Amino acid sequence: QVQLQESGPGLVKPSQTLSLTCTVSGGSISSGGYYWSWIRQHPGKGLEWIGYIYYSGSTYYNPSLKSRVTISVDTSKNQFSLKLSSVTAADTAVYYCARGTFFGVVISWGQGTLVTVSS
Amino acid sequence: DIQMTQSPSSLSASVGDRVTITCRASQSISSYLNWYQQKPGKAPKLLIYAASSLQSGVPSRFSGSGSGTDFTLTISSLQPEDFATYYCQQSYSTPQGFTFGPGTKVDIK
């Protein structure tokens, strides 16, 4: 069974870059067939798709975040990563990494990691 | 952009009740509609995909229906473990992206 685990700083200063990594176990990112996603949830709010990457490196981003987001993949480490630049308090959220199908169904989720933006 | 709405935003129900949640898309999304359940402090869990297909391992009291712009999630007999927030998600615009509804919180009456 594929498992995903987010890691990275829980506190980021305003204007800096938020960086998170998702480690995938129980399956290989490079086997193909799935999109590897980042989704966030502001405290007490709903879910917001950030973007996703295919093992080949093809990426798709939420237009509202596109100018600040970079998602990358390291197949040798079976990891994919999120960078969100110029963060503000509005980027404080629980960040989930996830695995989805070609049809956009999110079938596996990490446990989520809270990132707080504060000085 | 495709916008998703859900109704009600919250509801109170008793164990054994039949519960129906509605999701509406701002344009036709065919059957590209998925439902997730989220409990406090936990990641969402896939319940229904492609509007009406039950994810493996999900109890049969959960069902989904609809196509086009209007969809429903039904819990035929609410169980204690079903008190949670439910989200719909459109995947019609994949790979350009997908969006979630605002959620429906189901709590104990």
Side-chain angles (χ1 to χ4, degrees):
Chain A
Q1 181 176 346
V2 173
Q3 294 186 316
L4 301 94
Q5 178 67 59
E6 305 88 352
S7 60
L11 181 64
V12 181
K13 288 181 167 53
S15 81
Q16 293 190 343
T17 295
L18 179 159
S19 296
L20 295 174
T21 295
C22 183
T23 300
V24 179
S25 59
S28 173
I29 288 178
S30 57
S31 64
Y34 299 99
Y35 288 117
W36 302 92
S37 301
W38 287 98
I39 297 165
R40 69 180 182 180
Q41 186 169 35
H42 295 101
K45 302 296 184 182
L47 299 159
E48 179 182 31
W49 169 71
I50 299 171
Y52 52 68
I53 191 166
Y54 193 52
Y55 82 97
S56 62
S58 298
T59 54
Y60 300 95
Y61 301 137
N62 186 326
S64 69
L65 298 169
K66 187 175 182 177
S67 63
R68 299 194 291 131
V69 173
T70 302
I71 297 176
S72 59
V73 64
D74 186 338
T75 55
S76 67
K77 294 182 179 180
N78 220 31
Q79 295 176 332
F80 62 105
S81 299
L82 168 70
K83 291 188 185 299
L84 181 65
S85 64
S86 305
V87 298
T88 70
D91 294 308
T92 293
V94 173
Y95 287 76
Y96 294 100
C97 61
R99 179 177 68 139
T101 71
F102 283 128
F103 298 100
V105 183
V106 183
I107 56 176
S108 306
W109 300 71
Q111 65 183 25
T113 187
L114 174 63
V115 178
T116 302
V117 179
S118 175
S119 56
Chain B
D1 290 4
I2 299 175
Q3 307 300 319
M4 308 300 294
T5 58
Q6 288 182 235
S7 61
S9 57
S10 66
L11 66 91
S12 295
S14 300
V15 172
D17 283 354
R18 181 181 182 89
V19 170
T20 298
I21 298 168
T22 298
C23 177
R24 177 165 290 174
S26 59
Q27 66 182 71
S28 177
I29 57 171
S30 185
S31 295
Y32 292 92
L33 191 284
N34 313 303
W35 290 97
Y36 302 84
Q37 175 195 66
Q38 186 179 34
K39 296 181 179 179
K42 300 294 186 182
K45 169 189 172 183
L46 176 66
L47 298 176
I48 301 282
Y49 63 94
S52 61
S53 296
L54 192 68
Q55 172 69 352
S56 175
V58 174
S60 59
R61 62 180 180 273
F62 291 93
S63 64
S65 64
S67 66
T69 60
D70 294 319
F71 302 85
T72 58
L73 172 70
T74 299
I75 309 172
S76 61
S77 177
L78 197 66
Q79 297 301 301
E81 60 268 32
D82 300 336
F83 293 97
T85 300
Y86 294 85
Y87 293 94
C88 63
Q89 174 234 341
Q90 67 83 12
S91 53
Y92 178 80
S93 53
T94 302
Q96 283 74 27
F98 49 81
T99 47
F100 292 90
T104 295
K105 185 178 181 180
V106 177
D107 61 21
I108 301 172
K109 182 182 286 185

